[in-house]
Amino acid sequence: MTMTARTDSSGTEADGAHTVAGDPATRRRVPGPRRAPGGQAARSRKGPGRSGWTPWLYLLPALVVLGGLLLYPIYQLGLISFLEYTQAQVSGGEPTSFRGFGNYTALFSDPQFWQVLLATVLFAAACVVTTLAVGCALAVLLTRVRALPRLALMLAALGAWATPAVTGSTVWVFLFDPDFGPVNRLLGLGDHSWTYGRLSAFALVLFEVVWCSFPFVMVTVYAGIKAIPSEVLEAASLDGASQWRIWRSVTAPMLRPILVVVTIQSIIWDFKVFTQIYVMTNGGGIAGQNLVLNVYAYQKAFASSEYSLGSAIGVVMLLILLAVTLVYLRLLRRQGEEL
């Protein structure tokens, strides 16, 4: 006696039943195991105790820590920006009074604030463009050199990335020192002071910012290039496209999500530069000619003891960077939806 599965006209098993081969008169149907309905199977796979609050329970410890480290200081920053809070109030000589938007009115009516804001925007834009250009160029170079030079370049770049900002700024100031720096000797500039002029000082700080920022762009873009199928690049090369045309028409469009992310990250980092400007220009340059918003807020709060004005500048920077961060998160979400 043999057992064969009963199939329908399409050759598939029907209802999980099978028949016993033999005389057609005595052929009988033996019931097989019945499958559970789709809804019950789906419910059994979901598992017990699942709810929409489960992910938040896992995130709760981190949210508590972030709330204590971020939300409370931001609350204090915003509160002080609405108060009359100077050295007299800190020492207890005078009571603290509420000014409302008086600090913001005084800040926005100060011409120096708008000059510093414009300088900050232009300086950050120059740093971002230069960082992206250097990082992308070196990322392409990494794809065209052999293993040993590529390893040496990666280690050198990561070393620059890991160097603390204070250390890197001090080294760059020494390199361009008018008395002992080797750069002036190699270029034959004598005792030229790079930090005396406004533009030359900003250029010197820009070199240091790019030096410590391009490794992030280089590594990220290099990883994106390696993820592009080699057949696409080979096809463009066989069609006669130059290396610049391949980058502009093939590589860059395919790397657009990555380029957007590194651009937004660079804007956030370069807009709030403090250490490089403060160390290399000795607190903002001659007569404050190299001030940026972060250093300007520091001078208002601690050098002039106008803590409320310094807090107001911090709130303005926070709102600007928050807008940039929201754009960044929206781009990340859009990228995730596409993937």
Side-chain angles (χ1 to χ4, degrees):
M1 180 182 297
T2 60
M3 300 182 65
T4 58
R6 186 174 65 87
T7 59
D8 55 9
S9 59
S10 62
T12 57
E13 183 179 355
D15 297 332
H18 55 274
T19 59
V20 179
D23 187 5
T26 60
R27 186 175 298 172
R28 57 190 178 88
R29 184 180 183 185
V30 179
R34 306 189 67 85
R35 287 179 285 187
Q40 295 179 1
R43 284 193 294 270
S44 63
R45 286 194 302 266
K46 186 177 180 181
R50 296 286 184 89
S51 66
W53 294 99
T54 303
W56 293 102
L57 293 177
Y58 288 107
L59 293 174
L60 184 60
L63 293 177
V64 171
V65 174
L66 290 177
L69 295 178
L70 294 178
L71 296 182
Y72 182 74
I74 291 175
Y75 163 75
Q76 288 292 336
L77 182 72
L79 178 62
I80 294 176
S81 68
F82 290 103
L83 303 176
E84 177 69 27
Y85 201 72
T86 62
Q87 187 61 39
Q89 283 76 26
V90 173
S91 61
E94 296 181 7
T96 303
S97 58
F98 182 75
R99 291 195 61 187
F101 290 96
N103 292 320
Y104 295 95
T105 303
L107 182 64
F108 294 148
S109 61
D110 186 5
Q112 187 182 15
F113 168 75
W114 297 105
Q115 295 174 3
V116 173
L117 178 60
L118 178 61
T120 304
V121 172
L122 294 178
F123 175 74
C127 289
V128 170
V129 172
T130 309
T131 302
L132 290 177
V134 174
C136 291
L138 291 178
V140 174
L141 179 63
L142 286 176
T143 62
R144 303 189 178 279
V145 297
R146 296 183 180 274
L148 188 58
R150 180 167 60 248
L151 178 61
L153 180 57
M154 291 284 287
L155 292 177
L158 293 178
W161 196 10
T163 302
V166 175
T167 305
S169 301
T170 305
V171 171
W172 277 80
V173 168
F174 169 75
L175 292 176
F176 290 85
D177 186 83
D179 297 322
F180 307 103
V183 174
N184 282 2
R185 297 181 182 179
L186 293 175
L187 299 179
L189 298 178
D191 58 350
H192 173 73
S193 176
W194 290 81
T195 58
Y196 182 79
R198 184 170 187 258
L199 294 180
S200 61
F202 269 128
L204 181 60
V205 178
L206 182 144
F207 293 154
E208 202 281 333
V209 172
V210 172
W211 175 76
C212 66
S213 301
F214 83 86
F216 169 74
V217 178
M218 183 190 73
V219 173
T220 306
V221 174
Y222 173 71
I225 294 175
K226 296 300 290 183
I228 297 177
S230 59
E231 295 81 2
V232 177
L233 303 179
E234 292 177 359
S237 179
L238 292 176
D239 288 340
S242 62
Q243 297 301 324
W244 167 248
R245 183 62 184 272
I246 292 175
W247 167 262
R248 183 169 60 89
S249 301
V250 180
T251 308
M254 298 185 72
L255 293 177
R256 184 176 290 112
I258 293 178
L259 293 177
V260 169
V261 169
V262 297
T263 300
I264 299 299
Q265 287 274 29
S266 299
I267 291 174
I268 294 175
W269 291 342
D270 296 338
F271 189 82
K272 59 185 184 66
V273 167
F274 173 82
T275 305
Q276 291 88 342
I277 289 286
Y278 192 83
V279 173
M280 300 179 70
T281 65
N282 197 19
I286 300 174
Q289 64 181 2
N290 297 114
L291 284 176
V292 292
L293 279 180
N294 239 349
V295 181
Y296 183 58
Y298 177 84
Q299 287 190 354
K300 285 293 184 182
F302 298 101
S304 302
S305 298
E306 297 178 356
Y307 302 104
S308 53
L309 277 179
S311 300
I313 299 172
V315 171
V316 172
M317 289 188 61
L318 176 64
L319 294 177
I320 295 174
L321 292 178
L322 182 61
V324 177
T325 304
L326 291 178
V327 173
Y328 167 67
L329 293 177
R330 183 177 180 182
L331 291 172
L332 283 182
R333 181 181 179 183
R334 182 177 302 175
Q335 179 185 359
E337 292 177 352
E338 292 177 354
L339 294 176

